[in-house]
Amino acid sequence: MNEVVRSMANLLEDKHAKDIEIFEVGAAHPMFDNVIVASVDVSRNLEAIISEVKKFEKEGKIDVKAYDVNNKEWVLIDLYDVMIHVMVKDARHHYDLDSILAEYVERSK
């Protein structure tokens, strides 16, 4: 696990994200190597996570390509080699991104 993935997993945990899953897609996907999926209880946690990501970016700890902060149920953070999805629990359950990613990783082996 690379340093950015470890740092982002720690950041998510510090901001009360739960059920943090890290998918190593590696060579199977040309755009990124890892996908992190995490849950939060309320949308306020999404805002706190984005705020912390922006702080890390400003301090030069990470290089952020883009993030989508307009959705109150699902935030996407693109760190070039790492894609992060943080969702409120109901959205995570509804979209079942974990199963999709697990199947993708399994098929690419």
Side-chain angles (χ1 to χ4, degrees), residues 25-35 78 80-83 85 101:
V25 295
H29 198 283
M31 303 281 292
F32 42 85
D33 296 327
N34 295 280
V35 178
D78 185 348
Y80 293 92
D81 290 344
V82 180
M83 188 69 65
H85 298 269
L101 287 166

Side-chain angles (χ1 to χ4, degrees), residues 3 6 30 54 78 84-85 98:
E3 186 62 34
R6 190 178 358 262
K54 288 180 179 181
D78 185 348
I84 303 171
H85 298 269
D98 297 79

Side-chain angles (χ1 to χ4, degrees), residues 8-34:
M8 291 299 100
N10 289 337
L11 178 151
L12 292 169
E13 193 172 82
D14 290 346
K15 293 298 174 188
H16 308 288
K18 299 176 181 162
D19 304 319
I20 300 167
E21 295 289 334
I22 300 169
F23 297 91
E24 295 182 22
V25 295
H29 198 283
M31 303 281 292
F32 42 85
D33 296 327
N34 295 280

Side-chain angles (χ1 to χ4, degrees), residues 7-82:
S7 294
M8 291 299 100
N10 289 337
L11 178 151
L12 292 169
E13 193 172 82
D14 290 346
K15 293 298 174 188
H16 308 288
K18 299 176 181 162
D19 304 319
I20 300 167
E21 295 289 334
I22 300 169
F23 297 91
E24 295 182 22
V25 295
H29 198 283
M31 303 281 292
F32 42 85
D33 296 327
N34 295 280
V35 178
I36 301 173
V37 181
S39 300
V40 294
D41 292 326
V42 294
S43 61
R44 175 178 271 158
N45 293 103
L46 294 173
E47 295 166 9
I49 289 167
I50 287 295
S51 177
E52 193 69 14
V53 165
K54 288 180 179 181
K55 179 180 164 190
F56 270 48
E57 180 182 27
K58 195 173 198 175
E59 293 172 355
K61 294 180 181 178
I62 58 173
D63 191 14
V64 179
K65 183 177 180 183
Y67 34 77
D68 175 14
V69 297
N70 296 324
N71 192 322
K72 297 297 181 189
E73 292 185 338
W74 184 344
V75 168
L76 174 65
I77 305 165
D78 185 348
L79 303 177
Y80 293 92
D81 290 344
V82 180

